[in-house]
Amino acid sequence: MTTVPSYLKNKSNLSKNFFISTYGCQMNVNDSERMACLLEMAGWNPSPTVEMSDLILINSCSIREKPVHKVRSEIGRYKQLKQKKPYLKIGVAGCVAQQERSKLLKQIPLLDFVLGTDAIDELPQVLLQLEHGKKIASIKQEPKKPYHVQTLIGKPGISTFVNISKGCDNFCSFCVVPFTRGRERSRPLSQLIKDINSLVQRGVKEVTLLGQNVNSYRSPCGADFAKLLENLAIKTDIQRIRFTTSHPKDFNEELVETMQKYRSKIMDFIHLPVQSGNTNILKKMNRGYSREEYIEKANMILKKMPGSVLSTDLIVGFPGETEEAFEDSLSLLDEVPYESIFSFKYSARPFTKARSFNNQVPEQIKSQRLSKLQKKHEKIAFLLAKKYEKAFLEVLVEKKDKKTGLFMGRSTQNKLVYFKGKNTDIGKIMPIRIDKVNICTFYGEKYDKNYKKEKEMD
Ligand code: 5AD
Ligand code: SF4
């Protein structure tokens, strides 16, 4: 028997349906999974539509502009629903919740509760406390200490996220994360081994290790990220390991050597955010490396792990970014063969240092620079993708795509690959010969382990 909050007792039925809307990064996707699992354990059911729900939870992101506005406008869309269903509860979790705290309850009258980034596990209790009709802001900021949680996922897919650390101590001058996610805390290595082995038992074939800065991971036993990867490769039965996000300053040779040594399990795709190609801007960003040091690191990775693939994040229009400084970001694309990039216009964030820097760049110039950068990269990415035509990629098959009816999976290099398959292919790693490339989405034909076409075997 699960407890039914009193505000739901006047409903015609006693079902408790929830709907979660998720913004932002993979960390938020993972947190939403955790909240869904906690809710299901407390007797709630995922709602097929937002209209049918009794609880709407918005897992918010504040990394870039107008985050409160986005939350407010989503909640505004539920005004009529809330009038029709007075027992409907609306909550905001995630980084906007942590940043705005109880202020958000005053700013948005339709809101019932606010759940901070360190208070996720309190969700079931908060829902019970709402019974008294009061509004609640549950915000905690855990101090720096080992971070003990077990991964909670209702029905894990073939590929699943696993948090290895949370928070960030880097304080890049543009970034709000250290203020919304707090100080960096790592999960113990032994707990991660157990956690991943139990996911394997539940059918998971691939994990993506998550952290704001995975390679500054440090287990309470002293193991660093390279040691964690090595232990997971040896002591778990997981077939594939990915991770995100890495910080270039912490990406050392030992880590690359470990990746190369266990390459059959650790995927050869590295997201290495550079943010700018100009040393002066990098200094103002507090990134801890120069353009030259970054290029040297990228070359070291590509040399020690031949065939590995790099991607990056770039910000245009950081305060003080001159035309010449921006040209340095453009020219970096000629120096480092990024197969994909994520690029953003700088957005001033609360609490951050860069917010008060002089020489903020006008929006119009930011937009022009962003489009120039993206156009340049599109051409490069297309040429880089050509090398995969006719190549065999080892693809872990994840699911059938409802739209196209094709099956899809990802190659070791993180390319999305579509092919004609069958349900029994799901969960297998199979060679796919690529026929058509489209920057990051590829189409191909499946072969068997001996690189023979499946048809020939029938
Ligand atoms: N403005 C623009 N982009 C930002 N990012 C982080 N903070 C900001 C900001 N204030 C980008 C960085 C980071 C990615 C997750 O988001 O490129 O790597
Ligand atoms: Fe933000 Fe920098 Fe930490 Fe990444 S490393 S989360 S950009 S402060």
Side-chain angles (χ1 to χ4, degrees):
M1 265 299 279
T2 54
T3 323
V4 177
S6 63
Y7 49 88
L8 291 181
K9 287 187 178 146
N10 298 332
K11 275 183 64 188
S12 52
N13 59 50
L14 285 185
S15 66
K16 302 189 285 179
N17 294 334
F18 69 90
F19 183 90
I20 304 182
S21 140
T22 308
Y23 293 82
C25 62
Q26 284 140 331
M27 193 69 81
N28 265 16
V29 174
N30 196 35
D31 286 348
S32 289
E33 287 265 14
R34 186 172 188 87
M35 291 191 282
C37 191
L38 287 164
L39 287 170
E40 287 186 54
M41 289 193 294
W44 291 78
N45 305 305
S47 180
T49 64
V50 70
E51 288 76 22
M52 288 164 74
S53 61
D54 309 304
L55 164 66
I56 299 172
L57 199 50
I58 297 167
N59 195 5
S60 62
C61 167
S62 70
I63 197 98
R64 277 172 292 275
E65 64 252 283
K66 301 191 183 139
V68 179
H69 176 79
K70 281 182 197 155
V71 168
R72 195 203 309 271
S73 77
E74 173 159 357
I75 294 178
R77 293 204 295 275
Y78 305 137
K79 194 171 174 182
Q80 283 185 348
L81 196 62
K82 186 126 173 144
Q83 277 162 357
K84 225 166 53 187
K85 299 166 84 167
Y87 50 81
L88 170 70
K89 297 291 175 202
I90 303 179
V92 173
C95 290
V96 177
Q98 186 71 32
Q99 181 186 302
E100 300 293 314
R101 302 170 173 234
S102 56
K103 264 197 300 183
L104 213 53
L105 292 171
K106 290 196 195 99
Q107 289 166 354
I108 310 175
L110 287 180
L111 191 58
D112 295 290
F113 68 99
V114 173
L115 196 69
T117 48
D118 276 341
I120 288 178
D121 289 3
E122 322 253 299
L123 176 59
Q125 288 91 300
V126 168
L127 289 172
L128 288 176
Q129 285 159 17
L130 282 174
E131 283 198 75
H132 312 300
K134 59 181 181 196
K135 297 197 175 221
I136 294 178
S138 178
I139 307 288
K140 287 202 306 193
Q141 189 97 62
E142 285 168 1
K144 192 158 179 136
K145 61 172 193 189
Y147 153 46
H148 290 269
V149 292
Q150 201 201 336
T151 301
L152 287 180
I153 306 172
K155 287 187 200 86
I158 297 297
S159 179
T160 290
F161 295 125
V162 171
N163 264 355
I164 63 162
S165 60
K166 62 178 177 178
C168 181
D169 292 347
N170 286 320
F171 291 92
C172 298
S173 64
F174 53 82
C175 185
V176 74
V177 167
F179 305 96
T180 56
R181 295 269 173 180
R183 299 288 59 73
E184 187 177 302
R185 288 144 287 166
S186 297
R187 291 180 62 193
L189 172 79
S190 54
Q191 194 191 65
L192 285 165
I193 295 172
K194 260 198 230 147
D195 211 7
I196 292 177
N197 270 331
S198 86
L199 289 170
V200 172
Q201 298 289 314
R202 297 171 70 195
V204 173
K205 308 283 181 199
E206 174 180 271
V207 287
T208 301
L209 309 177
L210 284 185
Q212 306 297 344
N213 180 9
V214 283
N215 45 6
S216 62
Y217 169 87
R218 191 160 284 271
S219 171
C221 68
D224 63 5
F225 187 57
K227 277 274 167 293
L228 170 69
L229 286 183
E230 179 163 51
N231 272 274
L232 296 181
I234 297 171
K235 296 183 186 161
T236 75
D237 294 322
I238 196 76
Q239 292 187 18
R240 286 186 161 190
I241 302 168
R242 299 183 186 276
F243 55 84
T244 197
T245 295
S246 315
H247 195 301
K249 73 176 169 51
D250 300 313
F251 217 105
N252 54 32
E253 292 197 26
E254 193 202 343
L255 174 55
V256 187
E257 282 157 11
T258 306
M259 290 179 72
Q260 176 66 9
K261 186 168 170 194
Y262 299 102
R263 200 157 166 179
S264 59
K265 277 194 164 191
I266 303 170
M267 299 298 95
D268 43 12
F269 168 78
I270 299 161
H271 184 59
L272 200 65
V274 63
Q275 313 299 359
S276 167
N278 177 272
T279 297
N280 192 25
I281 295 290
L282 287 170
K283 209 180 246 167
K284 288 190 181 161
M285 286 178 161
N286 191 30
R287 290 291 291 175
Y289 51 84
S290 65
R291 172 192 175 93
E292 289 69 31
E293 283 163 346
Y294 179 93
I295 294 174
E296 207 176 295
K297 208 153 261 194
N299 287 336
M300 180 273 286
I301 294 170
L302 295 172
K303 197 164 156 218
K304 285 189 184 277
M305 273 178 77
S308 58
V309 167
L310 296 178
S311 76
T312 203
D313 290 345
L314 276 152
I315 295 176
V316 300
F318 183 80
E321 186 188 65
T322 58
E323 208 46 48
E324 292 73 42
F326 169 63
E327 290 289 329
D328 283 345
S329 288
L330 283 176
S331 71
L332 186 72
L333 302 184
D334 301 317
E335 302 252 1
V336 183
Y338 297 118
E339 297 198 6
S340 53
I341 64 165
F342 299 86
S343 47
F344 313 100
K345 288 191 273 182
Y346 167 74
S347 156
R349 309 306 310 123
F351 317 116
T352 59
K353 278 207 171 137
R355 185 186 180 85
S356 52
F357 286 178
N358 293 330
N359 305 319
Q360 298 281 334
V361 175
E363 274 310 304
Q364 198 195 353
I365 293 185
K366 286 186 203 166
S367 301
Q368 285 165 1
R369 289 182 185 168
L370 187 70
S371 115
K372 204 165 168 186
L373 185 77
Q374 290 176 340
K375 279 200 183 115
K376 172 161 182 168
H377 185 259
E378 227 167 81
K379 285 190 196 138
I380 293 174
F382 190 69
L383 291 176
L384 290 173
K386 281 272 170 209
K387 69 171 178 266
Y388 295 104
E389 270 179 2
K390 308 263 181 304
F392 281 96
L393 298 186
E394 297 295 313
V395 172
L396 170 60
V397 185
E398 289 182 30
K399 59 181 179 197
K400 186 173 181 177
D401 179 53
K402 283 189 194 135
K403 253 202 234 152
T404 57
L406 295 172
F407 282 74
M408 62 104 359
R410 274 176 306 148
S411 72
T412 61
Q413 307 86 347
N414 209 30
K415 307 293 179 191
L416 219 51
V417 180
Y418 289 84
F419 64 98
K420 270 191 199 147
K422 48 188 189 219
N423 284 330
T424 49
D425 294 337
I426 294 176
K428 288 188 187 148
I429 294 176
M430 31 180 56
I432 307 286
R433 207 197 65 152
I434 304 302
D435 301 323
K436 195 174 145 209
V437 297
N438 200 352
I439 303 195
C440 275
T441 311
F442 295 0
Y443 295 86
E445 205 173 341
K446 76 174 176 183
Y447 280 63
D448 72 5
K449 286 237 172 316
N450 304 312
Y451 295 87
K452 285 205 177 110
K453 271 197 196 179
E454 282 230 320
K455 269 183 252 156
E456 291 167 19
M457 297 189 312
D458 296 335

